Amino acid sequence: MDAQNLTARLKSSGLLRSQALIGGKWIDAYDGKTIKVHNPATGEVITEVPCMGSKETNDAISSSYDAFYSWSKRTAAERSRHLRKWYDLLIAHREELGQLITLEQGKPLTEAMGEVTYGANFIEFFSEEAKRVYGDIIPSPLADRRLLVLKQPVGVVGAITPWNFPLAMITRKVGPALACGCTVIIKPSEFTPLTALAAAELALQAGIPPGAVNVVMGNASDIGDALLASPQVRKITFTGSTAVGKKLMAGASATVKKISLELGGNAPCIVFDDADIDVAVKGALGAKFRNSGQTCVCANRIIVQEGIYEKFADAFSKAVQNLKVGDGFSEGVAQGPLINEAALHKVESFVQDALSKGAKVLLGGKRHSLGRTFYEPTVLSDVKSEMLISREEVFGPVAPLLRFKTEEEAIRMANDTNAGLAAYIFTNNVQRSWRVTEALEYGLVGVNEGLISTEVAPFGGIKQSGLGREGSKYGIDEYLELKYMCLGNMTGN
């Protein structure tokens, strides 16, 4: 697919926006500065978008604050209808949105189209949950009192999102926020702002009022500082690195904002001797190599029991060898480029560290012949827990295989990290699946399945992988405040 022709088609559709959205108006940065948005597969510039800072962010906050009163006063049924219309438009434009994701992020088009469906499903789900924000009545210990609990929207929300899922990481924050009556300022990654702008355009078309959804991009620290400093912003929601999450958590303390954080992972994928080898290979492949290994729930360590280690390593390597690498628009491609040179250098340094400490390359282990930021799907054996690739998130297409003897050792190895987002188990022993799941210090556990994310289940981690949950009926609670109401003198005339 010719990128220039595609860009022209997306522009004519009205979905390729190159301005920010504040108060329902598309605007440039006040000083005229811009950022180039690149296609990571080719290095070509797709377009330029505004490079904004604190001034534009403060105006977005004011716009969102002004819109909050009217949006929060609308009935739940009315908010639900607007969200449902937004969902319908996202699905109607699934192909264009998928193309836009592949263009600016690089993932294969089939994966990008899947992300559109996944992302849209959060809007559909929370359009329904909007009508189910129930309060409570508490039996009073005093005869003349009536005790009630109300749930009310927290207010203006600052949503800071990453580049690896440029649509879904937005919709699973904005969906519940809008559903319960909040308004939102979205700060997308400067690497992938175009999908966010397209989604915002469709939100306007769905009748979501000006100011309820704003999008600013540019200088991340200036925008973040403005969101943190403003007393009008009552909630920060962030998906990204643990280091940045800690800074946001500290910054939010000055105005005591609510905060939810979905941070880095170090996901173990434990394969027991009694696992079905075909199921384990398929599950580990999906958990590791989706989005070229650039997800926070990717299997970062594949921990295999010694009785099945060699057999699994052979079958897994053969499966990985079949992964086609290339431009995400090419037929049959399963793995696209890494997002940029910094990501490529990180992967190379992790592999080099492992090899210097005794690991062996079973497959790959170097840059792809396609050049740029393409990296060969890689499998390493004889990996040890002290290696960098076992301690930190590689965020790339490298699968390290570690060996263990007993169930207790596997659990100890899996939990030996500050992260606690996702984990995976492959076993045909039902009792073991329960024992290990309960022992793992992770917020998400997949048993005999490598792709576990869904809008109907709570997504989030423990330890240094974050705070709060996204998706499901629990996700909307992150955007609500509880208010206790006591009615007195209820037995009099």
Side-chain angles (χ1 to χ4, degrees), residues 263-282:
L263 308 176
N266 185 3
C269 176
I270 306 172
V271 182
F272 287 97
D273 283 347
D274 60 12
D276 182 311
I277 192 85
D278 293 332
V279 171
V281 167
K282 181 183 177 182

Side-chain angles (χ1 to χ4, degrees), residues 117-399:
T117 301
Y118 173 58
N121 286 347
F122 284 99
I123 302 302
E124 180 187 38
F125 181 84
F126 285 109
S127 75
E128 297 159 351
E129 285 299 295
K131 297 178 283 187
R132 302 188 187 107
V133 179
Y134 302 131
D136 209 351
I137 298 175
I138 301 170
S140 173
L142 301 174
D144 66 339
R145 306 281 178 89
R146 298 295 181 267
L147 313 181
L148 294 82
V149 177
L150 308 179
K151 289 185 178 181
Q152 295 181 306
V154 66
V156 175
V157 175
I160 304 172
T161 60
W163 50 263
N164 56 343
F165 288 90
L167 179 67
M169 297 303 96
I170 288 172
T171 56
R172 77 179 187 190
K173 299 176 186 301
V174 177
L178 292 176
C180 66
C182 295
T183 53
V184 188
I185 301 108
I186 303 166
K187 189 273 167 193
S189 167
E190 63 273 21
F191 300 133
T192 57
L194 304 180
T195 305
L197 296 171
E201 164 63 26
L202 294 176
L204 289 177
Q205 292 181 25
I208 293 171
V213 175
N214 302 275
V215 184
V216 295
M217 68 221 72
N219 188 309
S221 60
D222 286 354
I223 293 171
D225 287 347
L227 292 172
L228 290 170
S230 173
Q232 292 181 334
V233 177
R234 294 308 313 141
K235 158 88 179 181
I236 296 290
T237 173
F238 169 74
T239 297
S241 72
T242 301
V244 173
K246 289 178 179 180
K247 290 180 181 178
L248 291 171
M249 192 174 180
S253 66
T255 50
V256 195
K257 301 185 196 303
K258 287 190 75 165
I259 189 163
S260 55
L261 304 170
E262 195 264 282
L263 308 176
N266 185 3
C269 176
I270 306 172
V271 182
F272 287 97
D273 283 347
D274 60 12
D276 182 311
I277 192 85
D278 293 332
V279 171
V281 167
K282 181 183 177 182
L285 194 72
K288 173 67 253 185
F289 289 99
R290 182 170 63 128
N291 201 10
S292 301
Q294 299 174 116
T295 88
C296 52
V297 294
C298 273
N300 203 57
R301 299 166 290 156
I302 302 178
I303 305 170
V304 188
Q305 199 159 13
E306 58 183 4
I308 202 174
Y309 185 92
E310 301 299 340
K311 186 178 180 181
F312 176 86
D314 181 61
F316 184 69
S317 296
K318 287 177 180 176
V320 174
Q321 195 166 19
N322 291 329
L323 295 175
K324 182 179 177 181
V325 180
D327 188 307
F329 289 112
S330 300
E331 188 71 29
V333 164
Q335 183 180 292
L338 295 173
I339 189 66
N340 55 27
E341 281 288 333
L344 181 64
H345 291 152
K346 179 181 179 181
V347 169
E348 288 183 316
S349 68
F350 276 41
V351 170
Q352 186 55 46
D353 174 82
L355 296 181
S356 71
K357 294 174 180 174
K360 296 181 177 63
V361 175
L362 295 183
L363 188 71
K366 61 183 184 297
R367 295 190 183 206
H368 198 278
S369 59
L370 289 170
R372 294 205 52 76
T373 60
F374 291 95
Y375 195 86
E376 292 186 1
T378 296
V379 182
L380 302 179
S381 68
D382 298 331
V383 174
K384 301 293 187 289
S385 293
E386 63 269 16
M387 295 176 183
L388 192 58
I389 203 163
S390 297
R391 309 305 304 171
E392 299 180 22
E393 213 172 13
V394 65
F395 233 65
V398 181

